[in-house]
Amino acid sequence: MAIDYHHLKNRVFAPVHQHYTERDTMLYALSLGLGNDPLAAAALPFVYEGMPGGLRALPTLAVVLGYPGFWAREPDTGIDWVRLLHGEQRVRWHRPLPADCAVVGKSRITHLTDKGADKGAILIAERRLETEAGEPLATMQQVTFLRGDGGYSQQGDGQPSDEPLPALAPTPQDRAPDFSDSQAIRPEAALLYRLMGDYNPLHADPEVARKAGFERPILHGLASYGLVAHALLRQCAGGDAARLKALDIRFAAPVYPGETLVTEIWRVPGQDGQYQLRARVAVRDKLVLSHGYAELA
């Protein structure tokens, strides 16, 4: 079954109402490895409610809230879900996340772009996260590469293909990064992170991972996204989660649990609070996240 442009673009997502608690906030931070070092004082405000000022939420917690589920696996989508990959994540925060809050996630599909039969298609889903009272918290755009679904617009009578989002800029190649941060990823990180609500078996089942072309289950893209965000906060914001206003990044290659992630960060010349970043896996010297852009208040 091939994908149908109009069917996907008009797909209706019911608003997702969710009340997350301080326990959820702590579990999210722990799934990213905060607390691996029990003596790391900078991590405690995100994993321990007894700190002065109370518990704080990592801003990237937003990406797992109000999530409509792994809907691409449903048969009516026509998507070859085993071959899809999370390609990019773009987020704008409108205010800091509370550590305990009732929220609503409102999702819609905004773009469907055919890259050709041999190149796949690109789907962009937008999710607005609000409090139950309607206060905006974050706006997220998830860019998904549908590797097995290209060429749909050339079949039969043809179907539309949207223009893609403006491309993210590559990181500087002419100078060393201004900051570098290294983080060890726990071997069970993907199994922990899937408890945030993304139960794609690609991250747990070795057989599914092999069918998708990977040697073993890979880490969720949004987990590596959270790792990079925390590295940015540590290196450039004194750990102040409220300062993160925007973070865009491209997932260039898979990350495996148990590896070490090295995040490299550049100041944007002449633009206070703006940064470019990327991340690589140390043991493979492999670029795994690229074209990163961030804004700090």
Side-chain angles (χ1 to χ4, degrees), residues 7 33 46 62 66 70 90 95 102 118 121 151 154 181 199 206 247 296:
H7 182 71
F46 303 103
F70 189 31
R90 308 185 187 198
R95 65 190 66 203
D118 298 326
Q154 286 83 47
D181 185 278
Y199 294 105
L247 179 59
L296 295 175

Side-chain angles (χ1 to χ4, degrees), residues 23-170:
R23 182 180 184 278
D24 300 311
T25 295
M26 288 185 279
L27 182 60
Y28 174 77
L30 289 168
S31 77
L32 295 181
L34 279 78
N36 285 359
D37 179 358
L39 299 181
L44 281 179
F46 303 103
V47 296
Y48 174 49
E49 73 284 0
M51 294 295 290
L55 186 70
R56 290 184 240 160
L58 286 170
T60 50
L61 174 64
V63 301
V64 303
L65 298 175
Y67 175 58
F70 189 31
W71 58 267
R73 194 176 182 178
E74 296 173 12
D76 72 291
T77 67
I79 293 173
D80 182 357
W81 65 268
V82 173
R83 298 185 63 194
L84 69 78
L85 284 176
H86 190 170
E88 294 177 1
Q89 185 70 32
R90 308 185 187 198
V91 182
R92 297 294 180 272
W93 284 271
H94 308 300
R95 65 190 66 203
L97 296 184
D100 182 316
C101 189
V103 296
V104 184
K106 300 177 179 178
S107 298
R108 65 187 182 114
I109 295 173
T110 60
H111 298 71
L112 185 59
T113 305
D114 190 355
K115 302 294 289 183
D118 298 326
K119 297 181 178 180
I122 298 175
L123 183 147
I124 300 174
E126 177 190 272
R127 183 160 88 254
R128 291 185 58 83
L129 187 69
E130 305 172 351
T131 67
E132 285 282 5
E135 297 173 322
L137 293 170
T139 300
M140 295 160 272
Q141 291 177 309
Q142 179 168 316
V143 181
T144 301
F145 296 154
L146 307 180
R147 295 185 296 163
D149 300 296
Y152 75 84
S153 65
Q154 286 83 47
Q155 298 175 5
D157 296 331
Q159 299 182 62
S161 177
D162 298 321
E163 289 295 318
L165 290 176
L168 299 176

Side-chain angles (χ1 to χ4, degrees), residues 115-284:
K115 302 294 289 183
D118 298 326
K119 297 181 178 180
I122 298 175
L123 183 147
I124 300 174
E126 177 190 272
R127 183 160 88 254
R128 291 185 58 83
L129 187 69
E130 305 172 351
T131 67
E132 285 282 5
E135 297 173 322
L137 293 170
T139 300
M140 295 160 272
Q141 291 177 309
Q142 179 168 316
V143 181
T144 301
F145 296 154
L146 307 180
R147 295 185 296 163
D149 300 296
Y152 75 84
S153 65
Q154 286 83 47
Q155 298 175 5
D157 296 331
Q159 299 182 62
S161 177
D162 298 321
E163 289 295 318
L165 290 176
L168 299 176
T171 47
Q173 303 296 317
D174 58 345
R175 58 190 175 95
D178 297 302
F179 306 93
S180 182
D181 185 278
S182 181
Q183 302 171 82
I185 303 170
R186 293 179 66 91
E188 71 275 26
L191 296 174
L192 281 170
Y193 192 85
R194 69 191 305 267
L195 300 180
M196 299 303 104
D198 185 347
Y199 294 105
N200 186 339
L202 176 65
H203 307 291
D205 189 328
E207 184 61 29
V208 172
R210 282 191 291 268
K211 287 181 179 179
F214 302 108
E215 62 184 60
R216 53 194 169 99
I218 63 175
L219 187 66
H220 300 69
L222 287 179
S224 56
Y225 179 85
L227 288 167
V228 165
H230 190 228
L232 177 73
L233 292 174
R234 278 199 307 271
Q235 295 295 328
C236 306
D240 186 354
R243 291 184 57 192
L244 185 59
K245 299 301 179 185
L247 179 59
D248 303 335
I249 209 152
R250 178 177 298 171
F251 303 109
V255 177
Y256 292 101
E259 296 184 319
T260 295
L261 194 68
V262 178
T263 301
E264 300 170 326
I265 306 166
W266 289 260
R267 296 186 183 94
V268 176
Q271 302 294 326
D272 189 34
Q274 296 187 30
Y275 300 86
Q276 291 178 281
L277 60 156
R278 69 184 181 192
R280 58 186 175 83
V281 168
V283 69
R284 292 186 281 135

